[in-house]
Amino acid sequence: ETVSTQSTGGYAHHMKLLRRCHARELGQDRAHRRLRRLVCKHQSSSLTMADCLIQSPHGQPVRALDVDSSEGRYLLSGGADSTVAAYDLYPTGDRAGLGEPLFTLNKQSDAPGQCSHGFSVTAVQWYAVDTGVFFTGGMDHKVKVWDTNALVTIADFDTGSKVHALAAPSNPCCSHSLLAAGLDEPTVRLADPRSKTCVQKLIGHRTAVRAVCWSPRSEFLLASGCSEGTVLFWDVRHTQAPVSHLDQFSAESAASRVQEFPPEKPHRRGTRAALAHNGCVTSLKFSSDGLSLVSAGADNRVRRWDVYKCTNMLVNYRGTINKSRSSYGMCLSNDGQVLYHLCGDGVQMFDCLTGMKAGELKGHFGDVMSCCYSATREVVAQSASAMIKSANVMVKSASVMETQPLSWWSRVCRSS
């Protein structure tokens, strides 16, 4: 009897340890969550305004920003005055401390191939491999591929509609270089810079597409969001219909409801699409590991989604305000701990896993329209007053391992 009591106690202690280990893997352990809160608080409290003053050549609001992922040094900006400029965040030699643009492209250039967009530039992005190529999209229905050294256009795609969002693969090891453009119509256009042709249309939305984002984990997985509030997942190898969609009220896998969006009848009467937001989807961001997706909408909500299950993770980001009805930049830190969300003339910082507000960056005189996070631990934000400011960040990381069941998304990764 004594032996059986000891064995029962040992079994209970062993199960308790297993439960605690499993809770820590899922990020539910209190000590682990306390550590994350301390790291997030330290990161937000160490933010300071950078010494480098960036002299913006834009005469009208700045619409888009991007920092290269290869070096984390060069900043690219696009403005409503159709101007595109690049800056060195760490100038050396004679240019140290000046913050002047390395080059500026505008629509008044007479040189062949150097003319920028005819109207507002809505999206800019560096090539993931190096800074020798960058991409721009604008309201003149154009998506352009640029040679950074020669400052000439390599490829020019006419999408037939205004470009609201543009996404290039963020993984340098990606086997393709397809550009995804969100248009002012219910389609996503895929363009191939290698063949210089538009290769495919993704039909499934009902209204204009405002946000697009490639997954860093699966090179063929694309997320798109429209002004109606729907978010769709696409496998670009099979474009007849979306792979899945997101529902803010869904507590089960949405993979079984893929046929709700047939490509031959994308606007059927009497059907209601599952909505991720009760308003326009203004921004989409995958985490660095590709396991989760963060979306922002005009309903003043920021939601975090489980990409495996296509379910709402019910993280409450309190105090988020989104007055924008157009696409705008929202960014995550490289370790996925901190979410930077735009709110009026400031940038709010949240713990991405818990939703706890860690602080707010102030300094602009107008509404901030975009921000980006670089690999060199620096946050760069822009506002409607054509000002560009940066803040230095001291980052300490803590990793979280998550275990998820297999689903449609894991099958896409395996087949790729």
Side-chain angles (χ1 to χ4, degrees):
E1 184 177 355
T2 304
V3 174
S4 69
T5 303
Q6 292 178 353
S7 62
T8 304
Y11 175 77
H13 179 68
H14 181 65
M15 292 303 298
K16 183 178 180 180
L17 289 177
L18 288 179
R19 284 194 297 269
R20 291 189 61 181
C21 292
H22 184 63
R24 183 174 180 179
E25 290 178 355
L26 297 179
Q28 299 173 353
D29 184 67
R30 291 184 178 180
H32 187 70
R33 294 179 66 181
R34 191 180 302 114
L35 175 62
R36 291 192 60 87
R37 286 196 295 267
L38 291 175
V39 171
C40 186
K41 183 178 180 180
H42 173 74
Q43 178 172 344
S44 60
S45 62
S46 60
L47 284 170
T48 57
M49 192 69 67
D51 297 331
C52 179
L53 177 63
I54 300 177
Q55 301 179 10
S56 172
H58 302 285
Q60 295 185 18
V62 185
R63 297 289 304 273
L65 282 179
D66 188 43
V67 176
D68 70 288
S69 58
S70 57
E71 298 181 54
R73 176 175 179 176
Y74 298 103
L75 172 68
L76 194 65
S77 67
D81 56 352
S82 71
T83 302
V84 178
Y87 316 85
D88 188 353
L89 296 179
Y90 300 97
T92 58
D94 297 337
R95 304 181 63 90
L98 297 178
E100 296 179 352
L102 298 176
F103 64 81
T104 302
L105 300 172
N106 53 56
K107 60 182 178 181
Q108 299 176 353
S109 177
D110 297 330
Q114 293 186 355
C115 182
S116 180
H117 293 268
F119 299 101
S120 173
V121 177
T122 56
V124 295
Q125 187 169 352
W126 289 105
Y127 185 39
V129 178
D130 57 32
T131 56
V133 177
F134 65 91
F135 315 103
T136 61
M139 288 293 183
D140 57 350
H141 306 182
K142 299 289 187 179
V143 172
K144 295 188 176 184
V145 183
W146 296 85
D147 185 340
T148 309
N149 298 317
L151 293 181
V152 295
T153 305
I154 303 175
D156 192 340
F157 304 99
D158 188 357
T159 61
S161 184
K162 298 177 181 178
V163 179
H164 290 296
L166 182 66
S170 59
N171 189 352
C173 300
C174 185
S175 62
H176 68 82
S177 58
L178 294 178
L179 301 177
L183 307 180
D184 194 31
E185 59 184 30
T187 58
V188 178
R189 183 67 68 91
L190 298 181
D192 188 0
R194 297 176 181 176
S195 61
K196 300 182 180 181
T197 57
C198 293
V199 295
Q200 191 60 264
K201 273 187 177 182
L202 305 181
I203 302 175
H205 287 286
R206 300 169 185 254
T207 54
V209 179
R210 299 288 185 175
V212 288
C213 187
W214 288 99
S215 170
R217 193 177 186 90
S218 176
E219 60 184 14
F220 300 108
L221 181 63
L222 175 70
S224 61
C226 71
S227 58
E228 184 188 22
T230 59
V231 175
L232 304 181
F233 287 122
W234 304 87
D235 184 348
V236 296
R237 297 167 298 180
H238 310 284
T239 58
Q240 291 79 9
V243 176
S244 186
H245 62 274
L246 299 180
D247 186 357
Q248 58 181 318
F249 303 112
S250 176
E252 60 182 359
S253 177
S256 60
R257 297 193 296 276
V258 171
Q259 298 304 322
E260 191 172 334
F261 302 91
E264 64 275 6
K265 295 180 180 180
H267 303 283
R268 292 183 299 174
R269 293 184 178 181
T271 60
R272 176 179 174 83
L275 299 180
H277 289 273
N278 296 323
C280 176
V281 178
T282 55
S283 184
L284 294 173
K285 280 292 180 182
F286 278 98
S287 60
S288 57
D289 55 9
L291 298 177
S292 61
L293 174 73
V294 179
S295 64
D299 56 352
N300 297 329
R301 293 289 185 270
V302 175
R303 293 189 170 94
R304 188 165 181 259
W305 308 87
D306 189 329
V307 181
Y308 273 89
K309 301 179 181 178
C310 292
T311 54
N312 188 354
M313 300 183 70
L314 301 178
V315 180
N316 184 17
Y317 300 94
R318 291 187 177 183
T320 55
I321 299 176
N322 183 6
K323 301 178 182 179
S324 176
R325 295 298 182 269
S326 59
S327 303
Y328 77 96
M330 175 183 66
C331 62
L332 292 169
S333 59
N334 290 343
D335 54 10
Q337 288 188 7
V338 184
L339 167 68
Y340 298 92
H341 177 263
L342 311 184
C343 180
D345 59 351
V347 180
Q348 296 175 323
M349 296 180 293
F350 295 93
D351 187 328
C352 193
L353 291 184
T354 64
M356 181 193 66
K357 187 175 180 180
E360 187 170 355
L361 303 178
K362 290 285 188 178
H364 288 281
F365 299 104
D367 291 343
V368 182
M369 303 182 66
S370 183
C371 66
C372 56
Y373 189 95
S374 73
T376 53
R377 298 170 180 150
E378 184 168 286
V379 180
V380 184
Q382 65 185 19
S383 70
S385 58
M387 296 179 62
I388 302 177
K389 294 186 177 182
S390 60
N392 294 327
V393 187
M394 298 299 294
V395 183
K396 291 184 179 180
S397 61
S399 59
V400 178
M401 299 297 295
E402 296 183 353
T403 57
Q404 302 289 354
L406 294 177
S407 65
W408 63 269
W409 187 82
S410 58
R411 292 196 297 269
V412 170
C413 294
R414 285 184 175 182
S415 58
S416 62

